[in-house]
Amino acid sequence: MQTDKHFVIVTGMSGAGKTQASKVLEDMGYFCVDNLPSPLISRFADLIVTSEGNINKVCLVVDLRDGSFLDSIDDALAYLHAIGIHYEIIFLDASDEVLVRRFKESRRSHPQSPAGSLLTGIQLEREALAYLRDRAQTIIDTSNLTNADLRQTLIDTLTSEDTGIQVMVTSFGFKHGIPIDADIVMDVRFMANPYYVPELRQLTGRDPAVQSYIYDRPETQRFLRHFSDLILELLPEYIKEGKNQLSIGIGCTGGQHRSIAMAIALGRRVAEQGYEVTVNHRDH
């Protein structure tokens, strides 16, 4: 049994932007319900399916405000699948530092904070939501996103005509931290570092001279061949599991030379096989 109904489950960390996401989806024509208790999701789905109205797109914002959320969300999602409703989970996340700053700026207390300990509350919530984060088809790190950026990211995610998977390759520097939304992280610090070549130090991995320095080495070519083959072998399996977005982080020390060059090379190879690829350079 299949219906023409589409449910988007928006969840994630408190302070990561769920309210703003709900507003965006409402503008996109979704019927939005915030904080619906998860035991009621199945009843709500029945009403949507059997009603004679034209509500085909639904957004449910769910999180730990519902005390029974974690105990019953699996049953609710299984029921959606059983009655033929296609659903996807969008998980909004942000770094602990950003969440602390947002709560302090808003002067709100964290819903999970014991005795007012903000950081402890954030960490408890992150641990509790780890299982659902792993189930999400899309994870959006809002740490560095404006409201306009979040809007465009959601629009791109939900209106893509591609029925496959979107691949995002992000270069970064380990000294600035690992991207928290990365599904796969590869460390390329084993490669010779152009930073120690005076004429290359002020350039980046976008520059042909730096790329030649990195690409022309046999170990680089071996790595690129094996790593791109692995990614291309995994992508069809991710698609089978219903994942519509794969985020790959490629890191070097500062995120200026090796990671940028390798992100560009990997993105090119994956795109050559017909996949939709976006390459970003976080720390440059």
Side-chain angles (χ1 to χ4, degrees), residues 154-176:
L154 289 166
I155 291 173
D156 292 343
T157 298
L158 295 170
T159 61
S160 174
E161 296 179 357
D162 180 13
T163 57
I165 189 169
Q166 293 180 325
V167 180
M168 294 183 296
V169 183
T170 301
S171 69
F172 70 94
F174 276 96
K175 71 178 184 180
H176 304 298

Side-chain angles (χ1 to χ4, degrees), residues 84-238:
I85 290 180
H86 171 69
Y87 71 86
E88 59 185 296
I89 301 172
I90 296 178
F91 191 100
L92 300 184
D93 206 343
S95 68
D96 289 354
E97 294 79 6
V98 168
L99 293 176
V100 167
R101 187 183 72 240
R102 289 176 181 172
F103 272 98
K104 286 187 175 181
E105 289 174 350
S106 67
R107 298 186 179 181
R108 294 167 48 218
S109 60
H110 192 281
Q112 303 299 313
S113 294
S117 175
L118 179 54
L119 184 57
T120 299
I122 291 171
Q123 292 169 344
L124 289 173
E125 184 180 43
R126 191 177 298 284
E127 292 173 5
L129 292 176
Y131 167 70
L132 195 59
R133 189 182 193 277
D134 289 340
R135 291 201 57 178
Q137 284 78 28
T138 300
I139 300 171
I140 300 175
D141 176 10
T142 69
S143 298
N144 298 308
L145 298 185
T146 64
N147 286 343
D149 293 334
L150 177 57
R151 170 179 289 274
Q152 191 58 53
T153 300
L154 289 166
I155 291 173
D156 292 343
T157 298
L158 295 170
T159 61
S160 174
E161 296 179 357
D162 180 13
T163 57
I165 189 169
Q166 293 180 325
V167 180
M168 294 183 296
V169 183
T170 301
S171 69
F172 70 94
F174 276 96
K175 71 178 184 180
H176 304 298
I178 296 174
I180 65 173
D181 58 340
D183 301 298
I184 297 172
V185 173
M186 177 54 65
D187 183 349
V188 295
R189 288 177 291 186
F190 67 89
M191 296 178 178
N193 193 348
Y195 177 85
Y196 296 109
V197 180
E199 60 268 27
L200 301 179
R201 177 173 299 180
Q202 300 305 319
L203 303 179
T204 76
R206 292 190 181 96
D207 292 294
V210 174
Q211 292 181 355
S212 295
Y213 179 86
I214 295 171
Y215 295 159
D216 291 348
R217 297 172 180 271
E219 63 270 23
T220 300
Q221 290 301 315
R222 287 196 301 271
F223 163 77
L224 184 58
R225 182 174 65 254
H226 292 311
F227 188 50
S228 58
D229 284 349
L230 174 62
I231 296 300
L232 290 169
E233 185 173 341
L234 292 176
L235 284 173
E237 305 305 317
Y238 282 120

